[in-house]
Amino acid sequence: MVRAIVGANWGDEGKGKITDMLARESDIIIRFQGGSNAGHTIINNYGKFALHLLPSGVFYNHTTSIIGNGVALNIPYLLDELHALEEQGVPTPKILVSDRAQILMPYHVQQDTYEEARLAGKSFGSTKSGIAPFYSDKYAKIGFQVSELFDEELLKEKVVRVCEIKNVMFEHLYHKPPIDPQKLLATLLSYRDMVAPYVCDVSAYLHEALKEGKNILLEGQLGSLKDPDHGIYPMVTSSSTLAAYGAIGAGLPPYEIKQITTVVKAYSSAVGAGAFVSEIFGEEADELRKRGGDGGEFGATTGRPRRMGWFDAVASRYGCRIQGATEAVLTVLDVLGYLDELPVCVGYEIDGEVTKDFPTTAKLEKAKPVYTTLPGWKCDIRGIKTYEELPKNCRGYIEFIEKELGVPVTMVSNGPGRDDIIMK
Ligand code: GDP
């Protein structure tokens, strides 16, 4: 059985926690897209961890954690993250890396940094992890696949060809030093030695695992609104954030994905530039940011303060639909206990008309929020274990959201810990 855990919003919905929790009943956990440009925060009996590249299943002895072919693989970063876990006392996890994954190179990070500097105020809010140049190169067919590391003759010829193209840009657009093909070759060979113990024909491995009835989790990064096709283009990431892409980015038949667990945040937060209809500002935003997540809403990778907003039912319903959500998990509900009332954005007013459908970017820029206000519950719901024990107004908020989403809310998360979860 394959289950995907994905985000309905802008990312940071708390997918890491849900994956860590569901990993207990899983055999295999796979990252299928993205790279180290976003992070999951996980709190468990070993401590608090920010994982960027490793799947959130690495804390269990019985699981195999896989970096799928769809991931932007930064090899030194992967090894650093593994060592950091070991240093904090986590038993060495079983890791496999797809032989078809492509490698995020140091020049991708450089290019990302140079481009952000060139665009200055007009930038897309890149995390400068090299993700956009990496995926551009993959589709321009000048990327390096893990399998190619083991063919030195091929590499010797390819480094020259890749440097020819990259250096035109580096020297003439960015006025930076060129990449030296010999040094690039040496880097690739060092990467080969680092990654060799983990390399695997992942789709063949998964084919066998499915035959044996194993439980497989696909772990998504970011959320629907960051998808390059269905998200807020161009304020998006460079690989698909949707469950459907899990089939491609892991190497699985699409029809095997039976459960699409879509994580929905009980309020909104976003990083980077772009339209954000239900955004709030000033003291109201500072208060929510300070109370949000676990110790404040600041990016797990970048440390940037997140932009805050009220729950956006228009965006979240779209986010669930485009994921093909079979269930929704509502997270960080405990954070909202301080509010007297909770505005919920139920429509967008665009050019004088109210719509409930999430529009394309140009229209989104013009959208103004239409709010409904629900009463707050004014208490701390952390520690509550059953749905019935939740205050009436809190259940009212959940049920209102469930109706707006059109997807059953099966779990409610009321704290950052592994066990802070209520089954509905
Ligand atoms: P992800 O990228 O979707 O995994 O999200 P992040 O890990 O970046 O952000 C979620 C943040 O919220 C982390 O700091 C989590 O520890 C925290 N978190 C997750 N679920 C809950 C919850 O139900 N309540 C609270 N207070 N914090 C939560």
Side-chain angles (χ1 to χ4, degrees), residues 115-126:
E115 181 62 8
E116 283 286 297
R118 191 181 75 87
L119 293 173
K122 296 196 177 89
S123 76
F124 296 114
S126 160

Side-chain angles (χ1 to χ4, degrees), residues 131-164:
I131 300 298
F134 165 88
Y135 282 106
S136 310
D137 284 358
K138 175 174 173 174
Y139 293 107
K141 291 167 278 189
I142 54 167
F144 289 98
Q145 202 179 67
V146 166
S147 66
E148 293 176 340
L149 294 175
F150 301 89
D151 186 341
E152 213 170 316
E153 288 313 305
L154 175 145
L155 287 183
K156 278 183 187 152
E157 174 271 323
K158 192 164 171 179
V159 288
V160 174
R161 190 156 47 86
V162 169
C163 285
E164 269 168 13

Side-chain angles (χ1 to χ4, degrees), residues 12-17 39-41 293 306 332 334 382 413 415-416:
D12 307 318
E13 297 93 350
K15 297 174 295 295
K17 174 201 152 149
H40 295 299
T41 315
R306 292 177 182 148
V332 293
D334 51 304
R382 279 208 199 178
S413 174

Side-chain angles (χ1 to χ4, degrees), residues 13 22 36 85 116 128 185 272 313 353 363 372:
E13 297 93 350
L22 294 176
S36 58
L85 284 189
E116 283 286 297
K128 304 189 195 73
L185 181 64
E353 272 181 51
K363 284 187 185 156
T372 290

Side-chain angles (χ1 to χ4, degrees), residues 307-381:
R307 296 163 68 193
M308 308 303 297
W310 301 127
F311 183 80
D312 184 336
V314 179
S316 301
R317 178 173 46 248
Y318 173 76
C320 284
R321 169 165 71 76
I322 216 76
Q323 289 289 7
T326 59
E327 61 178 342
V329 179
L330 194 64
T331 56
V332 293
L333 193 67
D334 51 304
V335 169
L336 302 177
Y338 74 99
L339 291 160
D340 293 322
E341 42 185 34
L342 297 95
V344 173
C345 174
V346 291
Y348 290 172
E349 190 193 313
I350 302 170
D351 295 330
E353 272 181 51
V354 175
T355 176
K356 283 187 158 268
D357 294 322
F358 193 78
T360 51
T361 308
K363 284 187 185 156
L364 187 69
E365 302 278 1
K366 294 198 267 178
K368 293 187 187 64
V370 177
Y371 287 114
T372 290
T373 303
L374 302 183
W377 47 95
K378 299 293 286 177
C379 67
D380 187 2
I381 59 163

Side-chain angles (χ1 to χ4, degrees), residues 92-114:
T92 306
K94 186 174 178 212
I95 306 283
L96 299 175
V97 172
S98 168
D99 55 2
R100 290 175 182 272
Q102 294 210 5
I103 305 161
L104 189 133
M105 301 298 298
Y107 56 77
H108 289 132
V109 180
Q110 287 172 328
Q111 191 181 328
D112 215 351
T113 310
Y114 299 160

Side-chain angles (χ1 to χ4, degrees), residues 6-7 11-19 38-43 48-51 56 219-223 263 265 267 269 291-301 306 330-336 382 412-417 420-421:
V6 287
D12 307 318
E13 297 93 350
K15 297 174 295 295
K17 174 201 152 149
I18 304 301
T19 311
H40 295 299
T41 315
I42 295 166
I43 299 164
K48 181 172 176 173
F49 300 87
L51 295 182
S56 303
E219 177 179 17
Q221 180 215 40
L222 297 170
V263 184
K265 198 162 175 161
Y267 54 88
S269 72
R291 292 169 177 272
D294 179 53
E297 290 282 359
F298 300 91
T301 300
R306 292 177 182 148
L330 194 64
T331 56
V332 293
L333 193 67
D334 51 304
V335 169
L336 302 177
R382 279 208 199 178
V412 175
S413 174
N414 61 334
D420 298 325
I421 198 87

